[in-house]
Amino acid sequence: MSYNNLILEQNNGIATITINRPSKLNALNKETIQELHNAFASCDEDAATQVIIITGSGEKAFVAGADISEFANFDIEQGGQLAAKGQELLFDFIENLGTPVIAAVNGFALGGGLELAMSCHFRVASDTAKMGLPEVSLGVIPGYGGTQRLPQLIGKGRAMEMIMTAGMIDANQAMRYGLVNHVQNQDDLIPFCEKIAIKIMRNSSVAISASIRAINAGFEDGVNGYEAEVNEFGSCFGTEDFKEGTTAFLEKRKADFPGK
Ligand code: COA
């Protein structure tokens, strides 16, 4: 598959997706959102890909938001559709992907850019990164899940303040808030994410996917997360990975999981 706005590299179980529109600070236009959906879907289907890292090209931006030039003339219906389609195609899709996704936030992550990072399973930032949801400065609100995921990640009061002020926080403040898990200098960002990916790949990919489903269940309306956990836990007992993991432990050797 070829992409106009992305670079997809696959090495030793790790797929790195780089959003590549540096002249527009990697802003998410319609085509890029569709291409990201296709790239995530193909990596998820690919048995050899165990972890996905997403980042932005250039040193300045992860993603500076949704492409403002594309929606500036939209009416009410088109605005609603923009949010609904984007959430379904990309943001909810990534959150519920069975393959772990790490956001390597290498610069500005604003609006749809921060929403993209927040839909990933966790985030690592460069010390140059700046994050914010500036939508109210444009007369609109975050529409790709930002009003939901930001309070989940950093708490309601902090999210209210960030959204109302349209302000940006730097990487260290993002770490204090729990929005990113680690801060690295720019050159070390991708190697550091790869080191985490290697740790993840030592474990059962089947159990990791089940963990993602159970964790996400707790944030779903009308779903009992504890019940989802019981069901996922039970299902693990029927997998080859469970046999291998427990047998390896009892035989005092490292587990050799077959992958997905
Ligand atoms: N949508 C469309 N184009 C964007 C964009 C976006 N969200 N963010 C940046 N760009 C474009 C700029 O229009 C400019 O294009 P041009 O060279 O053709 O004029 C190019 O990217 C570089 O951006 P510029 O603003 O010149 O860089 P800067 O260093 O002065 O400022 C930012 C960087 C990130 C502070 C600034 O670009 C910005 O505020 N972007 C919008 C952020 C935003 O509101 N996002 C939420 C959208 S819902």
Side-chain angles (χ1 to χ4, degrees), residues 134-156:
E135 284 87 346
V136 298
S137 71
L138 299 166
V140 70
I141 71 166
Y144 287 147
T147 65
Q148 305 306 300
R149 292 192 183 99
L150 189 62
Q152 281 169 12
L153 286 165
I154 71 173
K156 189 173 168 184

Side-chain angles (χ1 to χ4, degrees), residues 88-102:
E88 186 191 339
L89 206 56
L90 187 57
F91 300 83
D92 295 352
F93 187 72
I94 293 177
E95 183 168 60
N96 293 306
L97 211 68
T99 308
V101 184
I102 307 172

Side-chain angles (χ1 to χ4, degrees), residues 20-222:
N20 190 29
R21 295 184 78 211
S23 67
K24 296 291 172 195
L25 302 186
N26 304 320
L28 297 176
N29 61 359
K30 204 172 154 199
E31 188 184 34
T32 307
I33 288 181
Q34 182 63 56
E35 288 188 354
L36 280 167
H37 171 88
N38 296 347
F40 276 104
S42 84
C43 290
D44 194 44
E45 281 158 20
D46 174 23
T49 297
Q50 306 259 52
V51 178
I52 302 167
I53 297 171
I54 177 161
T55 193
S57 74
E59 299 230 317
K60 199 166 166 184
F62 174 69
V63 169
D67 192 319
I68 299 167
S69 66
E70 269 192 356
F71 64 73
N73 296 318
F74 277 11
D75 62 20
I76 294 176
E77 201 186 329
Q78 289 170 307
Q81 279 169 2
L82 179 75
K85 182 121 195 268
Q87 288 193 15
E88 186 191 339
L89 206 56
L90 187 57
F91 300 83
D92 295 352
F93 187 72
I94 293 177
E95 183 168 60
N96 293 306
L97 211 68
T99 308
V101 184
I102 307 172
V105 181
N106 60 308
F108 286 115
L110 302 176
L114 180 55
E115 290 172 304
L116 177 62
M118 289 193 295
S119 66
C120 297
H121 297 128
F122 60 90
R123 289 144 292 284
V124 180
S126 69
D127 52 11
T128 57
K130 291 215 164 21
M131 283 155 259
L133 292 179
E135 284 87 346
V136 298
S137 71
L138 299 166
V140 70
I141 71 166
Y144 287 147
T147 65
Q148 305 306 300
R149 292 192 183 99
L150 189 62
Q152 281 169 12
L153 286 165
I154 71 173
K156 189 173 168 184
R158 286 167 170 168
M160 285 278 190
E161 183 181 341
M162 277 184 71
I163 290 172
M164 287 178 194
T165 59
M168 289 185 210
I169 58 172
D170 66 19
N172 287 321
Q173 189 164 4
M175 192 157 89
R176 285 194 293 274
Y177 275 9
L179 185 53
V180 304
N181 292 5
H182 310 274
V183 177
Q184 293 291 308
N185 68 45
Q186 187 79 274
D187 290 345
D188 293 335
L189 178 64
I190 298 296
F192 183 83
C193 291
E194 287 169 349
K195 271 191 205 150
I196 301 178
I198 289 165
K199 281 191 193 165
I200 292 173
M201 288 192 293
R202 289 190 198 123
N203 301 313
S204 156
S205 58
V206 177
I208 286 170
S209 298
S211 307
I212 293 171
R213 286 192 297 275
I215 292 168
N216 284 343
F219 293 90
E220 252 177 74
D221 250 358

Side-chain angles (χ1 to χ4, degrees), residues 204 206-207 209-211 213 227-243:
S204 156
V206 177
S209 298
S211 307
R213 286 192 297 275
E227 209 174 288
E229 183 182 277
V230 166
N231 292 333
E232 294 289 353
F233 181 82
S235 300
C236 290
F237 286 68
T239 66
E240 287 302 313
D241 279 17
F242 173 74
K243 273 187 212 136

